[in-house]
Amino acid sequence: TKEDLEYLRERVEAGNTYKGFFFKMADGIDVMELGDFKPIGTNTKPFYGSFDGNNVQFNIERESSDHYQGLFGYFGFGTIQNLSITGTIKGANHVGSVVGYKESGNVINVYNEAIIKGSNDVGGIVGYNKAGKTEVAYNIGDIEALETYAGGIVGYLHNAVGADGKT
């Protein structure tokens, strides 16, 4: 439920990274209206767990002047998979539909239909990709960076791992 996601965010804000933990959305949920949803994870309180959206479409309507915007604001180590995003997400730097800033880890089988806007590092799926994979993903939403680095899938690609395991 939306309340479960808000609780997860609150626990991450309290300092639990959930590294090594796995979360999965319940069966039978097609669309989840999140409204003005504050992202899970920040640069000082990251989310390092894994999350399976179980093919839920998350509708987010967020307009913020903060950095690290998306369903997950700051993520690493785990895997985020099997979900889609609709709506509008606006922020400052590191803005993506699924992940604002990806330190490492994998983002798999996701797609975006939302409008994504920010200043720098703005992507349809991931705003800033420091390392890790983003695969089986597509974007049909409008992406806009007011200053630098915009991309349909990844706004800024610092480093990535290819299918062959090499950077």
Side-chain angles (χ1 to χ4, degrees):
T1 67
K2 178 180 177 181
E3 292 76 23
D4 292 331
L5 287 178
E6 289 171 345
Y7 181 74
L8 173 60
R9 183 191 66 239
E10 290 167 5
R11 300 308 313 144
V12 171
E13 287 175 351
N16 192 338
T17 66
Y18 288 105
K19 189 173 182 181
F21 285 77
F22 180 85
F23 299 89
K24 183 176 181 180
M25 294 296 296
D27 290 337
I29 302 170
D30 294 324
V31 177
M32 183 170 288
E33 297 291 337
L34 294 179
D36 186 16
F37 186 76
K38 186 176 175 185
I40 299 168
T42 68
N43 61 321
T44 58
K45 304 287 184 178
F47 176 72
Y48 287 158
S50 290
F51 182 85
D52 186 335
N54 200 13
N55 300 310
V56 172
Q57 180 184 79
F58 296 95
N59 186 37
I60 301 172
E61 296 295 338
R62 176 124 174 113
E63 188 165 340
S64 173
S65 59
D66 295 335
H67 303 303
Y68 310 104
Q69 296 298 305
L71 180 60
F72 292 86
Y74 196 106
F75 161 74
F77 295 100
T79 298
I80 296 173
Q81 61 187 355
N82 304 326
L83 60 90
S84 63
I85 307 291
T86 59
T88 302
I89 301 173
K90 296 178 183 178
N93 299 332
H94 317 306
V95 183
S97 68
V98 179
V99 178
Y101 187 102
K102 185 162 76 73
E103 181 179 326
S104 61
N106 302 307
V107 176
I108 303 169
N109 193 32
V110 298
Y111 69 90
N112 175 57
E113 295 180 354
I115 296 166
I116 311 295
K117 293 184 178 184
S119 295
N120 300 290
D121 311 329
V122 182
I125 304 297
V126 176
Y128 186 102
N129 189 98
K130 184 175 180 185
K133 293 186 214 177
T134 300
E135 57 187 4
V136 191
Y138 73 87
N139 169 61
I140 58 172
D142 292 337
I143 311 303
E144 180 182 348
L146 298 175
E147 295 179 30
T148 61
Y149 305 114
I153 302 296
V154 174
Y156 182 86
L157 182 63
H158 180 268
N159 199 358
V161 176
D164 61 0
K166 298 178 182 177
T167 57

